[in-house]
Amino acid sequence: MTAKRDIHLLDVTLRDGSHSMRHAFTEEQVRAVAKGLDQAGVEYFEVSHGDGLAGSSLQYGLSLVDELKLIEAAKEESKQAKISVLLLPGIGVKEDLQAAMKAGADMVRVATHITEADVAKQHIEFAREQGLKTVGFLMMAHMAPVEKLVEQAKLFESYGAEIVYVTDSAGALLPHEVTERVHALKNSLDCEIGFHGHNNLSLAMANTMAAVDAGATYVDGSLRCLGAGSGNTQTEVMVAVFDRLGIKTGVELYPVMDVANETVAKFMPRPQEITGSSLIMGYSGVYSSFLLFTQEAAKKFNVDERDILVELGRMKAVGGQEDLIFQVASEISKKQNR
Amino acid sequence: MTAKRDIHLLDVTLRDGSHSMRHAFTEEQVRAVAKGLDQAGVEYFEVSHGDGLAGSSLQYGLSLVDELKLIEAAKEESKQAKISVLLLPGIGVKEDLQAAMKAGADMVRVATHITEADVAKQHIEFAREQGLKTVGFLMMAHMAPVEKLVEQAKLFESYGAEIVYVTDSAGALLPHEVTERVHALKNSLDCEIGFHGHNNLSLAMANTMAAVDAGATYVDGSLRCLGAGSGNTQTEVMVAVFDRLGIKTGVELYPVMDVANETVAKFMPRPQEITGSSLIMGYSGVYSSFLLFTQEAAKKFNVDERDILVELGRMKAVGGQEDLIFQVASEISKKQNR
C-alpha cells in the first residue's frame, strides 16, 4: 500500500546533519533515525557525508563511521523508505556511487554550484544508466539571476535528471525570490522541481511553502533542523504545517515528532539556533566554508568579520576563492584607518 | 534626530522573555539589554512580568526582582527608546499602571483574549487620560473568525487605542491567515495595526512579513527569540530581513546582533527550539498554560498528551477551562479502550 501524497518529503538529517555532528554519526544513531523515519512514512531520506559521497577527508572532515556502512545500516532499517545519497562531482566519483548503490542507495542527488551544472553530465547519465532515481541539485541558488538558474536546470534535465532542485545553501533567499525561481523552472522544464532550504533568515519554512505553492513537488527537511548553518527546514514542523494546509505528505505527525524529539534531540551536540555567524551568512549570502577563514582574517586585520562576509557576498565570492578573504579584510582595514 | 522608519519595531525580550526566564531577570541583565536595544536604535521595548503588570504571583510565577525596579533601570539606560508595559485587566489594575508610569513607562499595551476586548475599556480610557501611548492587544487571535476580530478591534479603537495588535499567542496562524486578518483590520479601522508572532510552526518571521505586507506598522520581536512557547519573531533576524526587503526599521543590524549574541544568548537558560510541546501547541492552537495540566491528565488516563491538546484546540478551549482537560483525557481514554 502506498500512502497518498501531494508532495514528496525528503529528510536530510543523516546527510546535512552530518555537518552539525562533525561527521560523527554512529551506526546506532543512524539505525534509530532511519527506523523512525521509515515508520513515520517518510518517503525518502538521505545518508552521506555532509559534503556528499567520499567527503570524508581532512579537507571536509573525517567521518567517524564509513558512510557505506551507514547506508547499509539505514537500508536494513527501512521497510518502505528509499535512500538517497548526495554526490558532488570532484569529491565523489562513479565508483563511490556504485558502492553506494551496492550498499542500498535508491536515489542520487548530483550537486553542483549554481553556475556549474555541466560538470554533472557524466554522473547524471551514469546514474540513469544504473537505474537510480536521479536528481540535479543546484546549490547556492541565490547567487545567480533567474535566467541563469533556468539555463543550468535545463542542462541537468537534458542530461537526464528527473527532478531539479533549487538549493538555498546559505539560507539567503526570501520567499518571493523562491516563488520567482520555482515558477521560472516550472515554466521552462518538464521534470519535477524540488526545494532545499536553510533557516539562516528564519525563513526555511516560509520558503518551502512558497516553493510548493509555486509548483515544487519535492521538499527537504531535517529533524530538529539538524544541518549546516542554522539548519534546515524542520521536518516534523513541515509535516504539521502541510497538514494544516491540507497538503498531503503521507507522513504521520506523531511518529515523526517522536524520532525528532526522542532520538535526534538527544544526540545533537547543540541546538540549531540562528546565531550571529549564521544570520550574517544568510544576510550576505556567503557559504559556511568561508566562516573560519573570515574569522582568522578579521582577527589579523582587526576588522569586524561581518564587514568581510557582507563584502564577499556583494562580490559573489565562491568556494575556492578563500585567498580573496584576506584581500578583502586588508582593504576594509585600510579604509577604516584612512 | 529621529531615525527614518517605515515600520516600528517593538522588542519584547524583557517581557515575553520573562516566561522563558521563569521571571528571574536580574537588574543587571535588564540594564544590559535595555542599553543595547537603545543604542541599536530600537524604538520601543517592553518591560513587565511575562503575564503583565502585577503578574508576579504564585499563580503566574513570582518575579525575582520587582518589575517596577526593572522598568526604572531600563528607563535609566534608555536615551531614545520608549518603554512599554503590558497590562492584562484582571491581573493588573490602574494603580499598577500609575506606578509603572512613575517608573518610566511611555506606552501601555492592554491585552485581552480575542473575544473580550470590552474588559479593557476603562484601562484604555485611563491610559489615554494619563497621556500614555495606548495599544489594544488581542491575544489568541487565531481563535476567532475574522469578523469577530474586526468587531473586537473596533471596540479597542472606540475606547481610544492608537494601535491594535493581532497577537498570535500560540504561534498558530499561517501567513495567509495573518494577511487576511491584517487586511480586514486595515479596511475597517483608522488606527495603526500591529502584529505579535510566536514561532511554534516556524512561521513567526513569515507571519511578520505577511503582516507588514498587509499594512501593519508595528511588529514585535525578541532577541534570540526569548519568549513563551517556541519564542517570538527573532528581533535581530527581523532587522536583517527587513533591511534585505528595503523596509526601514531605523535599527542598526550589528549593534542589535551584539546585544542578542553577546548579552541575551549568554544568560538565556535554554535555546528557543521548536520542541514537541511547542509544536503541538502551534498545530492545535492551544495556549501554553494548558501544558502542565495536559501532561498530568495524559499520565493519569494513559493517553498521548498530543491527542488531548489537539482535541482542546478543536473545542476552542480557553484559559479558565482547565477542568475540561481531564474530561477530554477521560473521553479519549474510553474511546481507545473500547
Side-chain angles (χ1 to χ4, degrees), chain A residues 172 234 243-244 258 274 283, chain B residues 172 234 243-244 274 283 306:
Chain A
Q234 195 167 341
D243 180 73
R244 283 274 307 275
D258 286 340
I274 305 176
Y283 176 71
Chain B
Q234 194 167 342
D243 180 72
R244 282 275 307 274
I274 305 177
Y283 176 70
R306 296 173 292 200

Side-chain angles (χ1 to χ4, degrees), chain A residues 10-21 23 25 30 45-53 67 84-88 109 111 137 139 167 196 198 220-222 226-228 232 287:
Chain A
L10 191 154
D11 186 87
V12 296
T13 308
L14 298 175
R15 198 279 302 164
D16 214 324
S18 164
H19 293 294
S20 286
M21 298 291 292
H23 317 294
F25 276 125
V30 167
F45 65 89
E46 191 158 87
V47 186
S48 305
H49 183 280
D51 294 288
L53 294 177
E67 62 192 338
S84 170
V85 292
L86 185 74
L87 177 73
L88 274 71
R109 306 206 292 177
F137 204 65
M139 299 188 291
T167 304
H196 173 100
H198 279 270
D220 288 7
S222 69
L226 196 74
N232 300 83
Y287 194 52

Side-chain angles (χ1 to χ4, degrees), chain B residues 134-154:
Chain B
T134 306
V135 181
F137 204 65
L138 285 166
M139 298 187 294
M140 299 294 277
H142 72 284
M143 285 189 72
V146 176
E147 308 72 47
K148 187 74 186 173
L149 170 75
V150 170
E151 171 204 291
Q152 297 290 301
K154 277 185 170 173

Side-chain angles (χ1 to χ4, degrees), chain B residues 35-302:
Chain B
K35 189 175 181 175
L37 289 170
D38 182 70
Q39 290 182 342
V42 170
E43 190 175 8
Y44 297 94
F45 65 90
E46 192 159 85
V47 186
S48 305
H49 183 280
D51 295 288
L53 293 177
S56 179
S57 60
L58 286 176
Q59 190 181 354
Y60 299 108
L62 289 166
S63 297
L64 178 68
V65 179
D66 186 327
E67 62 192 339
L68 295 174
K69 196 165 175 182
L70 298 180
I71 294 167
E72 270 172 19
K75 186 71 178 180
E76 281 175 20
E77 301 293 341
S78 300
K79 288 198 173 66
Q80 59 80 28
K82 298 180 197 81
I83 291 175
S84 170
V85 292
L86 185 74
L87 178 74
L88 274 71
I91 299 178
V93 295
K94 285 182 188 176
E95 288 70 25
D96 297 311
L97 188 54
Q98 285 177 305
M101 278 183 70
K102 214 176 143 194
D106 306 288
M107 170 196 264
V108 61
R109 307 207 291 178
V110 184
T112 75
H113 184 72
I114 177 73
T115 54
E116 294 172 4
D118 59 334
V119 305
K121 183 171 188 289
Q122 51 172 327
H123 303 81
I124 288 176
E125 289 172 351
F126 178 74
R128 285 300 299 272
E129 282 163 28
Q130 302 292 312
L132 286 169
K133 182 106 178 170
T134 306
V135 181
F137 204 65
L138 285 166
M139 298 187 294
M140 299 294 277
H142 72 284
M143 285 189 72
V146 176
E147 308 72 47
K148 187 74 186 173
L149 170 75
V150 170
E151 171 204 291
Q152 297 290 301
K154 277 185 170 173
L155 285 179
F156 268 151
E157 188 179 46
S158 74
Y159 305 150
E162 295 156 275
I163 309 158
V164 175
Y165 260 75
V166 177
T167 304
D168 184 20
S169 315
L173 287 173
L174 303 173
H176 71 276
E177 297 171 331
V178 174
T179 301
E180 193 185 6
R181 280 162 174 75
V182 174
H183 265 155
L185 294 186
K186 284 297 289 181
N187 288 337
S188 311
L189 277 75
D190 294 317
C191 70
E192 295 198 74
I193 311 301
F195 178 75
H196 173 100
H198 279 269
N199 204 37
N200 299 58
L201 295 177
S202 199
L203 288 168
M205 186 65 60
N207 285 342
T208 303
M209 286 166 63
V212 169
D213 200 46
T217 45
Y218 282 78
V219 289
D220 288 8
S222 69
L223 300 162
R224 289 297 279 251
C225 306
L226 196 75
S230 305
N232 299 84
T233 315
Q234 194 167 342
T235 296
E236 68 277 18
V237 181
M238 194 160 40
V239 171
V241 168
F242 283 125
D243 180 72
R244 282 275 307 274
L245 288 166
I247 294 169
K248 289 187 181 61
T249 62
V251 181
E252 284 185 80
L253 181 58
Y254 296 176
V256 78
M257 286 176 66
D258 287 340
V259 59
N261 301 317
E262 304 305 323
T263 302
V264 175
K266 289 184 176 157
F267 67 64
M268 59 198 288
R270 62 192 161 289
Q272 293 283 171
E273 296 173 284
I274 305 177
T275 62
S277 301
S278 55
L279 171 55
I280 216 74
M281 280 189 279
Y283 176 70
S284 61
V286 302
Y287 194 53
S288 48
S289 63
F290 283 2
L291 196 63
L292 281 180
F293 295 99
T294 301
Q295 285 165 346
E296 211 180 299
K299 215 168 170 183
K300 185 173 169 190
F301 291 98
N302 193 29

